[in-house]
Amino acid sequence: MNDRLFHFVGGGEGQFSIEEMRAVCGESLPLASKLYVGLGLPSWPGTFSLRGVVSHERYVTRAERSSLVLAQEAIGRKEATWGAFIPLKKSAAWWALTQDERRQIFEEDSAHIRIGMKALPRIARRLHHCRDLEEPAPFDFLTWFDFRAEDTSVFDDLLAELRATEEWKYVEREVDVRVVRSGGG
Amino acid sequence: MNDRLFHFVGGGEGQFSIEEMRAVCGESLPLASKLYVGLGLPSWPGTFSLRGVVSHERYVTRAERSSLVLAQEAIGRKEATWGAFIPLKKSAAWWALTQDERRQIFEEDSAHIRIGMKALPRIARRLHHCRDLEEPAPFDFLTWFDFRAEDTSVFDDLLAELRATEEWKYVEREVDVRVVRSGGG
């Protein structure tokens, strides 16, 4: 298996308890009580099983990356026991745009990176791509975040701001799955 | 299977006879007499079996795409009985660049699109991505070309010009497989 391939499996087992699950746009996912997140596929069957690959960045410039690298934290900090798993699918119209048009909407019009920066270092994020896997996938991206319980409102504000952007007009399916690390605070 | 996933399998069967196979850079591929190209995996085992997904463009601007769309032909013209299968792997240094840096090298420094335009409509091309598949792949891209026998020199000039660019300094493996459609001229 590709060593950048992560699995997200909902079911009765996993490192995270699912607290809330709702469709923001389009169809939701089958309900589950636990979420497994990891590089290998677990041995149990899930009510849903999604996977995606961590890849190179598609829009970030050198200047932006320099700022991001200074500010961001990696997923998995001990105290970041709250998480959010948000799979997203963008429309055919998005994928028919050219690179300059996508970049224009992503950052110049929607300030995706600038909005995200405001939540750093409190919110950690990892992006997984699933549009170009061998098997067809129901989402284009799987986004995975973690943060401390007290930073939940920072995270909610971040999502609200992103969902109001021009870029989000191209999102045709989005599910918001909130989790807490099992045994964590 | 993803309906944009193409297979390239070398062996004793396939629609194309392999005329020549050589490593331009890095390791070659196992020898084979025929090349199968198609959406499904063939029933026979190959000496090599590669696959990649047709995806959205990563660097082309709207203005460039408009020019390309006007000039280019699709793979599979009846008279285009000669083909070239050229899998490529770029270095870790390439993938560590940001989008603006890759675009700068790809087009502003290397004129990849402008060089390619000169060979249109005689050379048709299809690009397949394999960096973000579930299974690890030995190449990042599989490129597939077809043209008429008399346009072989146009194709060779195109390759020579591309291989002399700044972008090609990041290519660490490249195999050049020339084929002729079986039963074709």
Side-chain angles (χ1 to χ4, degrees):
Chain A
M1 281 287 171
N2 191 325
D3 61 7
R4 295 179 278 109
L5 179 72
F6 284 85
H7 294 265
F8 295 82
V9 180
E13 295 183 66
Q15 312 97 308
F16 300 91
S17 297
I18 297 180
E19 301 292 308
E20 197 192 327
M21 226 168 124
R22 76 182 179 93
V24 178
C25 173
E27 200 189 341
S28 192
L29 284 167
L31 291 175
S33 59
K34 298 275 192 176
L35 179 70
Y36 163 88
V37 181
L39 283 166
L41 196 61
S43 57
W44 57 87
T47 62
F48 64 84
S49 182
L50 298 167
R51 48 192 185 170
V53 173
V54 174
S55 189
H56 56 286
E57 296 145 354
R58 306 296 161 88
Y59 302 107
V60 169
T61 66
R62 173 59 58 183
E64 288 160 353
R65 190 196 284 173
S66 300
S67 306
L68 287 166
V69 165
L70 281 175
Q72 73 197 357
E73 296 274 1
I75 285 281
R77 293 161 295 173
K78 191 168 182 299
E79 70 279 14
T81 53
W82 284 61
F85 171 57
I86 306 185
L88 290 161
K89 182 179 172 64
K90 282 180 171 171
S91 66
W94 174 262
W95 297 111
L97 296 173
T98 53
Q99 177 68 25
D100 56 324
E101 292 168 333
R102 281 182 272 114
R103 163 75 199 188
Q104 174 73 33
I105 294 166
F106 180 87
E107 187 57 21
E108 279 70 23
D109 299 343
S110 302
H112 189 132
I113 299 166
R114 280 170 284 159
I115 292 170
M117 279 289 293
K118 293 190 293 183
L120 300 181
R122 286 178 287 187
I123 312 298
R125 166 185 175 274
R126 196 171 66 215
L127 176 65
H128 313 76
H129 294 259
C130 25
R131 189 172 152 76
D132 292 339
L133 299 174
E134 284 99 327
E135 296 295 330
F139 296 96
D140 295 327
F141 307 101
L142 309 178
T143 57
W144 175 231
F145 304 88
D146 69 17
F147 45 87
R148 296 176 306 165
E150 55 264 47
D151 288 327
T152 302
S153 66
V154 172
F155 183 66
D156 286 332
D157 291 349
L158 167 68
L159 290 186
E161 210 172 338
L162 283 172
R163 287 174 182 153
T165 61
E166 180 69 18
E167 185 193 351
W168 245 253
K169 293 181 183 163
Y170 294 89
V171 173
E172 62 178 33
R173 189 177 176 195
E174 176 176 7
V175 185
D176 190 334
V177 182
R178 298 299 176 95
V179 305
V180 177
R181 198 189 298 151
S182 299
Chain B
M1 280 287 170
N2 191 325
D3 61 7
R4 295 178 278 110
L5 179 72
F6 284 85
H7 295 263
F8 295 82
V9 180
E13 294 184 66
Q15 313 97 307
F16 300 91
S17 296
I18 296 179
E19 300 292 309
E20 198 192 326
M21 224 168 125
R22 76 181 180 93
V24 178
C25 174
E27 200 189 340
S28 193
L29 283 168
L31 291 174
S33 58
K34 298 274 192 176
L35 179 70
Y36 163 88
V37 181
L39 284 166
L41 196 61
S43 57
W44 57 88
T47 63
F48 65 84
S49 182
L50 298 167
R51 51 192 183 168
V53 173
V54 175
S55 189
H56 57 286
E57 296 144 355
R58 306 295 161 88
Y59 302 107
V60 169
T61 65
R62 173 59 58 184
E64 288 159 353
R65 190 197 283 173
S66 300
S67 305
L68 287 166
V69 165
L70 281 175
Q72 73 198 359
E73 295 274 1
I75 285 281
R77 293 161 295 174
K78 191 168 182 303
E79 69 279 14
T81 54
W82 284 61
F85 171 57
I86 306 186
L88 290 161
K89 183 180 171 64
K90 282 181 171 168
S91 65
W94 174 263
W95 296 113
L97 296 172
T98 53
Q99 176 68 27
D100 56 325
E101 292 168 332
R102 281 182 271 115
R103 163 74 199 189
Q104 174 73 34
I105 295 167
F106 180 87
E107 188 57 21
E108 279 70 27
D109 299 343
S110 303
H112 189 132
I113 298 164
R114 279 170 284 160
I115 292 169
M117 278 291 292
K118 293 190 294 183
L120 299 182
R122 287 177 286 189
I123 313 297
R125 166 184 174 276
R126 196 172 64 215
L127 176 64
H128 313 77
H129 294 259
C130 24
R131 188 172 152 77
D132 293 338
L133 298 174
E134 284 99 328
E135 296 295 329
F139 296 96
D140 295 327
F141 306 101
L142 309 177
T143 57
W144 175 231
F145 304 88
D146 70 16
F147 44 87
R148 297 175 307 165
E150 55 266 46
D151 289 326
T152 302
S153 65
V154 173
F155 184 65
D156 287 332
D157 291 347
L158 167 68
L159 290 186
E161 210 172 338
L162 283 172
R163 287 172 183 155
T165 60
E166 179 69 19
E167 184 192 351
W168 245 253
K169 293 182 184 163
Y170 294 89
V171 172
E172 62 177 33
R173 188 175 177 197
E174 177 176 7
V175 185
D176 189 334
V177 183
R178 298 298 176 96
V179 305
V180 177
R181 198 190 297 152
S182 299

